[in-house]
Amino acid sequence: MTSTVSRRSVIAATAGAAGAASVTGVAFAAPASAGTAFAGTDAASTGAAGTDAPANAAADCGSESGVRWADVRRQLAAANPRVSAPIQKVVTNKYTPGMLLGNGDIGVVVGDSSAAQQSFHFGKSDFWGNNRKTTAPLSWQNSILPVGALTVAVPGATPAATGYSMVTDIGTAQVTSVLPFAGSTLTLNSWTADQDNVLITELSSAAGDADLTLNASVVLPNDPAYPSAAGVTGGALWLTRQNNAVGYGDVSYKASVASATVVVGGTFTAPSSTATTADGTFVLPGGGRAVLLTVFRSHGQDLSDTSPAPTPDQLRDQAIAAATSFGDRWLHDARATHHAYWTDFWTRSSVVFGDSQLETYYFNAQYVLGSGARSGVHNPPSLWAAWTTNDTPNWGGRYFLNYNEEALYYGAFSSNHAELSESYRRMILNEVAWQRNTTHNAGYQGTAFQRSLPPFHLYQTPPAPVPVAATKNYPKLPADQKSNATFGALPLIWHWEYTRDLDYLRTELYPLLKELDAFWRDFAVWDGTRWIFQHTSAHEGGDDTNPNLDLGFARKVVNTLLDTSAVLGVDADLRPVWTDFLAKLSEYPTGTYNGVTVFYTGEIINNPGLPDTFEPGNQPINMEGVIFPGEQCSIGGDAMLLQYANNSLTQMNSWGVTPGGNSNNGFCKEFVIAARVGWPAEDLFQKLKASIAYLWRPSNNTVFQGGGGVETTGTTEALNSMLMQSEDGVIRVFPCWPAARDASFTLQAKGAFLVGAEQRGGKVGQVRLHSRVGGDVTLQLPWNTGSAQVVDESHGGRVWASASGGRVTWRTEAGHTYRVTPKGR
């Protein structure tokens, strides 16, 4: 069925700045592009060739990266999630096993326990409420809420015994469901638009099939606490839902959402509705095609905001108007935009591991990142992103700043996806005004952060600053864990380190660093010989002294300030102060375990739940400050600290394959730390594979751990770090990769360098580097000659380079590409 009505979609207004209301749609940033080609490696990959071509010939390679879409497409096709039976337990209060679609603002979970139908569960990033459960066990947290669900069924038909399938094509971000019946097979191909909040479901049957009478039903969660309605108007099945902001504690955020589902160019027959459902039927002719569109419109603002807000009915009318106006031309444009986005996404970087299990994990983790996070949306993804399926998601689906929220971005920057952290960076910067005042009220300078947040302050006017109280009162600080603010700032620091965006550094990051530094130096206590951190917490719920986290994170802040103040030419008078503070800051706490020196979680641990200073089998937070994500030591760094780290990994034996913290919250921690300290590469390779297998969910090819959600994507950084590291101003290729395993990559290094290399037969023939902003670069030579020649491929001539100690250093120009080879080649 096709519509005679067609027009281009009008993208809704952009997401508001801090203090502004969320508008009914969302504006998405266009895929970034740049004009300089950077030729990547030519290593072949295995896997079936994909069938979808890029939207245009120019998209065949990823601009600066030079990664070819056709090469990556073959790898992605081999990594697609596939099932041959309906997915069970899709509705959950944790990370769903259903197949996933999303554009960073809407999330769609695809899956149904019946082979006779397919369901789509909807979430929206700005639709939050208050978890108002008042019966035991009580729940106190604000929650992201589901929007409703769509089910497409074949009433009265009996599913065939064989032939059912679902597959997520991660290369083109679409889920295809095949539902076989006697005499006909229904195929549903579903994807989310990238320029508007729309789910597109294309339905078809094969030539010669019998006609199918289909039923489309939309349904809301049956919860009277949240005002809702359903109906059929103008040929559209619609839902509306509101949160319950008024009268529930300190929640001051009001939100409404609406959806409208239509058959493009057709109508529903026998429509009906109840208070929470609406449905209608339509006929799919044998060999025919039809398209269902589900359009979402939402609005959120603070209760104190007196500006007019659209009512749920007005949002419903907007969704219906859009849905009924989108025809063939809109579909054509949306499909082209969708292909362009994902082609650009997949060609920004590349990896070839030569191992199907690792590539399947890696590419599906990247797919979750690209579907769950986008630049330009109002709210960043929280614990479950927008893939919530019931009203009581665990931990409220909030933003947890003591690891979960940041870990989503662990591999984003080295994978050349810095842009995906934009909404997260905006949330952290916006939050400073509130957290600063709490910190000041406790008598401390600067800013500390609470442990978890809802997004409500994004919709409020920031408060005026308050003075620092005259008396320090540490229990009044935002949280027991004083590392939360710096933890939250790490993706913002990485954004600078990987992009070298000077305007961003000057206007956004540097002021935040000064806030963090002011707190750390004011919170530190002088014991007569050194600075120490008291009354802080390594794990939640403690009152500890000198956690590894705090000591490493404070060093990260101050070291970054020393570097960036010089870049900006400011605060020269503070550099001696910072240097002196670092010199007198306590050493990382260590002790002896089984006869070797290991890193302790803290110098003194006062925590009834986790009282030990060393925790075999637990998550390795005893190295998060010094190794990763604190990044104060890595390969080539302090040999003693590296030995302590390797000792700690050995004695903890925390590799994500046994019950406990190592598999509950450790997956994103253990393997990056091991790669950064040079753990034996083949052993690390095998340990990572074992952990993936232990935590694996084949229904959507994701890793599931009990203590969190979408942050399991962050272990992509472990694999990136095995292939390349760029710490302490030195780029190292294959620093922790097995010599006997062939591999290749194109990844982003700190300093804004795109780096590509291939290892074959244990040897690296050349390294290629594209400089985005210019500046000096140092490369650890991956061969034993101790010398190299550097050629500027942009000009075709050799570049003067200084070689010393197995490294080569040269000055790069912005936009130029360089090839480094052993001398004489």
Side-chain angles (χ1 to χ4, degrees):
M1 303 178 186
T2 56
S3 171
T4 58
V5 180
S6 64
R7 69 169 193 160
R8 299 181 69 91
S9 167
V10 178
I11 300 176
T14 58
S22 167
V23 281
T24 55
V26 64
F28 298 96
S33 61
T36 304
F38 169 53
T41 60
D42 296 322
S45 60
T46 59
T51 58
D52 294 302
N56 54 65
D60 189 51
C61 64
S63 186
E64 293 171 315
S65 72
V67 178
R68 293 183 60 84
W69 166 248
D71 293 338
V72 178
R73 187 76 176 96
R74 287 192 291 270
Q75 290 180 286
L76 299 177
N80 288 336
R82 302 173 185 271
V83 298
S84 57
I87 302 172
Q88 304 299 309
K89 300 180 180 179
V90 168
V91 176
T92 176
N93 58 1
K94 286 193 173 184
Y95 193 3
T96 177
M99 293 190 177
L100 307 175
L101 296 169
N103 63 15
D105 195 44
I106 57 170
V108 180
V109 178
V110 188
D112 194 290
S113 60
S114 170
Q117 60 189 34
Q118 187 58 283
S119 293
F120 306 85
H121 301 266
F122 306 132
K124 187 75 167 56
S125 76
D126 60 348
F127 189 60
W128 286 66
N130 188 53
N131 191 327
R132 45 91 213 145
K133 189 175 180 183
T134 56
T135 58
L138 299 178
S139 189
W140 53 268
Q141 290 144 325
N142 315 113
S143 303
I144 187 169
L145 301 172
V147 171
L150 163 70
T151 298
V152 179
V154 185
T158 301
T162 61
Y164 179 95
S165 69
M166 286 179 65
V167 59
T168 303
D169 184 340
I170 60 174
T172 56
Q174 51 193 355
V175 173
T176 299
S177 307
V178 178
L179 280 57
F181 301 92
S184 192
T185 297
L186 174 63
T187 299
L188 305 91
N189 188 56
S190 306
W191 47 283
T192 51
D194 296 281
Q195 83 278 32
D196 201 348
N197 285 320
V198 184
L199 170 70
I200 300 96
T201 299
E202 301 163 320
L203 306 102
S204 63
S205 65
D209 279 3
D211 293 354
L212 285 173
T213 298
L214 305 179
N215 177 266
S217 174
V218 293
V219 59
L220 288 162
N222 188 16
D223 192 331
Y226 303 109
S228 59
V232 184
T233 302
L237 313 177
W238 57 264
L239 302 171
T240 63
R241 201 171 196 216
Q242 297 173 267
N243 72 354
N244 59 335
V246 179
Y248 288 95
D250 60 354
V251 178
S252 61
Y253 176 69
K254 56 183 177 182
S256 302
V257 64
S259 69
T261 299
V262 300
V263 181
V264 176
T267 57
F268 293 110
T269 59
S272 64
S273 64
T274 69
T276 58
T277 67
D279 68 276
T281 61
F282 62 102
V283 175
L284 178 67
R289 302 178 66 84
V291 177
L292 290 176
L293 296 183
T294 302
V295 177
F296 301 88
R297 293 294 180 258
S298 62
H299 182 84
Q301 68 186 53
D302 189 70
L303 285 174
S304 64
D305 185 350
T306 59
S307 60
T311 65
D313 287 351
Q314 289 172 326
L315 292 175
R316 174 201 63 197
D317 294 345
Q318 292 173 16
I320 293 172
T324 55
S325 68
F326 293 164
D328 289 345
R329 181 61 189 176
W330 183 90
L331 279 169
H332 176 274
D333 291 347
R335 192 175 290 111
T337 299
H338 187 69
H339 277 262
Y341 176 85
W342 284 100
T343 300
D344 175 80
F345 178 87
W346 289 119
T347 55
R348 283 175 169 265
S349 60
S350 72
V351 294
V352 176
F353 302 130
D355 183 275
S356 61
Q357 182 193 25
L358 291 181
E359 290 190 3
T360 297
Y361 160 72
Y362 186 93
F363 291 123
N364 281 276
Q366 295 284 58
Y367 173 75
V368 169
L369 175 67
S371 301
R374 293 288 173 90
S375 174
V377 300
H378 199 88
N379 293 347
S382 55
L383 200 60
W384 319 113
W387 295 306
T388 51
T389 54
N390 66 20
D391 280 346
T392 56
N394 269 27
W395 303 293
R398 290 159 63 95
Y399 303 98
F400 279 80
L401 300 182
N402 59 347
Y403 142 73
N404 303 82
E405 188 63 23
E406 298 86 0
L408 175 66
Y409 304 102
Y410 278 1
F413 296 91
S414 55
S415 298
N416 196 17
H417 286 297
E419 79 286 351
L420 296 182
S421 69
E422 182 274 332
S423 59
Y424 171 81
R425 288 183 272 121
R426 179 161 28 88
M427 181 186 74
I428 293 297
L429 291 167
N430 179 76
E431 189 65 32
V432 170
W434 284 269
Q435 303 296 328
R436 177 199 295 125
N437 281 358
T438 303
T439 305
H440 285 189
N441 283 332
Y444 292 89
Q445 302 282 344
T447 302
F449 267 45
Q450 65 196 75
R451 180 160 36 251
S452 72
L453 305 164
F456 303 146
H457 286 157
L458 284 166
Y459 302 84
Q460 297 176 5
T461 301
V466 300
V468 177
T471 302
K472 291 183 177 181
N473 187 355
Y474 74 85
K476 294 178 66 176
L477 283 167
D480 50 358
Q481 292 174 301
K482 309 310 185 291
S483 53
N484 293 332
T486 300
F487 225 143
L490 290 176
L492 285 78
I493 295 173
W494 294 331
H495 185 77
W496 153 250
E497 292 176 333
Y498 281 91
T499 69
R500 305 294 286 188
D501 183 335
L502 275 172
D503 287 340
Y504 161 77
L505 171 65
R506 181 180 298 106
T507 61
E508 298 182 33
L509 177 61
Y510 195 80
L512 175 61
L513 292 171
K514 293 288 291 289
E515 292 271 351
L516 300 175
D517 166 65
F519 172 74
W520 282 122
R521 288 193 290 117
D522 197 28
F523 182 66
V525 175
W526 182 252
D527 74 349
T529 59
R530 59 180 182 150
W531 292 109
I532 63 174
F533 296 131
Q534 296 175 323
H535 304 303
T536 181
S537 185
H539 292 284
E540 297 175 12
D543 185 3
D544 309 330
T545 298
N546 275 345
N548 183 289
L549 272 170
D550 297 56
L551 293 169
F553 283 7
R555 286 183 168 94
K556 179 70 172 179
V557 168
V558 176
N559 279 319
T560 306
L561 277 169
L562 285 167
D563 292 340
T564 55
S565 66
V567 170
L568 295 175
V570 297
D571 290 332
D573 58 323
L574 282 175
R575 290 175 211 157
V577 176
W578 291 327
T579 301
D580 183 71
F581 178 71
L582 290 176
K584 296 174 181 176
L585 186 59
S586 296
E587 301 293 334
Y588 299 107
T590 59
T592 301
Y593 190 87
N594 284 341
V596 297
T597 303
V598 296
F599 284 117
Y600 277 178
T601 302
E603 191 171 310
I604 299 173
I605 298 296
N606 181 20
N607 190 325
L610 291 158
D612 296 330
T613 54
F614 188 66
E615 305 168 65
N618 205 349
Q619 53 182 308
I621 68 169
N622 55 324
M623 291 174 280
E624 283 189 289
V626 60
I627 306 297
F628 185 86
E631 297 184 319
Q632 296 306 291
C633 183
S634 60
I635 291 174
D638 187 300
M640 182 176 65
L641 295 180
L642 290 172
Q643 186 61 59
Y644 294 167
N646 277 278
N647 292 347
S648 300
L649 289 167
T650 300
Q651 299 303 319
M652 291 185 74
N653 198 30
S654 295
W655 298 108
V657 293
T658 57
N662 75 101
S663 59
N664 197 52
N665 260 314
F667 180 71
C668 302
K669 305 180 181 186
E670 295 136 356
F671 301 101
V672 185
I673 289 171
R676 291 293 182 92
V677 301
W679 186 265
E682 180 63 27
D683 189 57
L684 180 57
F685 188 95
Q686 297 299 337
K687 280 180 164 57
L688 178 53
K689 285 170 60 69
S691 182
I692 290 171
Y694 183 78
L695 300 168
W696 192 243
R697 297 191 303 179
S699 60
N700 59 12
N701 284 358
T702 61
V703 164
F704 175 85
Q705 58 181 14
V710 296
E711 78 277 356
T712 56
T713 65
T715 305
T716 54
E717 179 55 36
L719 286 159
N720 287 351
S721 290
M722 292 173 73
L723 297 174
M724 184 193 73
Q725 296 180 30
S726 53
E727 299 306 303
D728 297 323
V730 179
I731 295 173
R732 293 175 168 84
V733 300
F734 304 106
C736 193
W737 189 259
R741 295 185 179 274
D742 294 349
S744 65
F745 68 86
T746 298
L747 294 169
Q748 176 86 338
K750 292 181 178 181
F753 302 112
L754 272 169
V755 180
E758 179 183 10
Q759 176 177 288
R760 189 176 292 275
K763 297 181 180 179
V764 179
Q766 65 178 18
V767 178
R768 304 185 75 181
L769 180 145
H770 177 78
S771 177
R772 285 178 156 163
V773 299
D776 291 349
V777 64
T778 297
L779 173 71
Q780 184 78 35
L781 297 177
W783 43 76
N784 297 323
T785 64
S787 62
Q789 63 183 18
V790 181
V791 173
D792 184 341
E793 293 188 340
S794 303
H795 285 171
R798 288 192 180 184
V799 175
W800 182 88
S802 171
S804 176
R807 299 175 180 176
V808 62
T809 300
W810 74 98
R811 174 66 55 86
T812 70
E813 294 187 49
H816 286 219
T817 300
Y818 302 87
R819 183 176 70 254
V820 186
T821 58
K823 256 187 183 175
R825 286 189 54 184

